[in-house]
């Protein structure tokens, strides 16, 4: 074989390898909006500040059982859990970025000792407390999914841990998938497409103003106690997009 043919053959093999590597990198793209060190510091100041503590002190959740010994309201800014949501572009196949930051969850307790979570959302260049939710589900899911990032699908209230091209179910809710089920990222996208392709922004469903479609900003309580979720060898980070100016409310299941 001539030197030219050998060189061309090597170039073809190298080019193919580069394409395969690029494809794998695209498929494993990380989420958008990951908090920076500056964001983490800002969230810490915000959630540990007087305004947030006053809000926690006055929060009462319907049906909550106060702790036997009430302690002062407090937040734990050292523990910040980023919660991500799938994007419409990913569902539609227009982007390889699977998800975008929705909110950062900080564990807390109210003035009567009830476990709670402060939700901080990036609004422009600043961070704002948009809600105080009952329970500390995000922290528990983050512990259960050690590695990757935390992904929430609010339309069906399902929670996942994503690590590279692997998606692990933490709480499948109404999807029918048991906790611990593993999916390839491509298969998860296909499932999202099947669920929401006809409900994306701009669709007839959206134009008709139908409820329950893709892009809803509701927040829901997990279908099962995160304590029932097995510890999995995957990382978590996650966040969700909250309605600006949301009031203090307990977590509610979508109807």
């Amino acid at each position: 074989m001539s030197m030219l043919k050998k060189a061309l053959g090597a170039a073809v093999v190298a080019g193919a390898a580069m394409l395969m590597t690029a494809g794998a990198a695209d498929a494993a793209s990380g989420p958008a909006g990951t908090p920076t060190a500056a964001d983490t510091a800002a969230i810490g100041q915000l959630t540990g500040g007087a305004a947030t503590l006053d809000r926690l002190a006055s929060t009462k959740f319907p049906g909550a059982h106060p702790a036997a010994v009430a302690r002062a309201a407090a937040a734990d800014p050292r523990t910040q859990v980023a919660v991500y949501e799938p994007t419409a572009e990913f569902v539609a196949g227009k982007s390889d970025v699977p998800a975008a930051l929705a909110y950062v969850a900080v564990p807390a307790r109210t003035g009567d000792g009830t476990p709670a979570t402060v939700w901080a959302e990036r609004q422009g260049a600043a961070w704002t407390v948009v809600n105080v939710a009952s329970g500390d589900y995000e922290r528990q899911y983050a512990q259960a999914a050690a590695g990757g990032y935390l992904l929430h699908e609010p339309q069906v209230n399902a929670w996942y841990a994503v690590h590279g091209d692997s998606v692990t179910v933490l709480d499948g809710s109404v999807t029918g998938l048991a906790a611990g089920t593993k999916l390839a990222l491509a298969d998860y996208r296909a499932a999202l497409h099947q669920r929401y392709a006809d409900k994306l922004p701009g669709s007839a469903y959206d134009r008709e103003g139908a409820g329950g479609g893709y892009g809803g900003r509701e927040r829901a309580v997990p279908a099962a106690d995160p304590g029932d979720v097995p510890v999995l060898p995957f990382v978590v980070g996650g966040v969700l997009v909250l309605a600006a100016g949301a009031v203090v409310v307990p977590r509610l299941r979508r109807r």
Side-chain angles (χ1 to χ4, degrees), residues 7 13 65 80 89 111 122 128-129 131 162-163 168 181 189 198-199 215:
V13 172
H65 299 287
Q80 299 184 18
E89 291 75 15
R122 184 191 286 125
T128 301
V129 171
N131 193 32
V162 183
H163 187 274
T168 302
T181 300
R189 192 210 299 247
D198 61 346
K199 302 175 180 65

Side-chain angles (χ1 to χ4, degrees), residues 162-240:
V162 183
H163 187 274
D165 286 330
S166 179
V167 179
T168 302
V169 178
L170 300 178
D171 180 354
S173 189
V174 299
T175 66
L177 296 175
T181 300
K182 292 180 175 58
L183 303 169
L185 186 60
D187 292 334
Y188 177 61
R189 192 210 299 247
L192 288 175
H193 188 80
Q194 182 177 21
R195 281 198 280 274
Y196 308 120
D198 61 346
K199 302 175 180 65
L200 293 172
S203 65
Y205 189 94
D206 179 44
R207 291 194 300 273
E208 292 169 1
Y214 191 84
R217 297 161 72 87
E218 299 85 349
R219 295 295 171 263
V221 62
D225 190 314
D228 298 330
V229 177
V231 175
L232 301 168
F234 293 91
V235 175
V236 170
V239 194
L240 285 168

Side-chain angles (χ1 to χ4, degrees), residues 114-129:
T114 303
T117 299
V118 176
W119 290 347
E121 179 185 329
R122 184 191 286 125
Q123 295 183 354
W127 286 87
T128 301
V129 171

Side-chain angles (χ1 to χ4, degrees), residues 136-163:
D136 63 347
Y137 299 107
E138 291 87 348
R139 179 187 63 80
Q140 294 182 59
Y141 280 130
Q143 290 180 340
Y149 61 88
L150 191 63
L151 180 68
H152 183 216
E153 190 182 335
Q155 293 77 14
V156 293
N157 193 32
W159 294 81
Y160 309 87
V162 183
H163 187 274

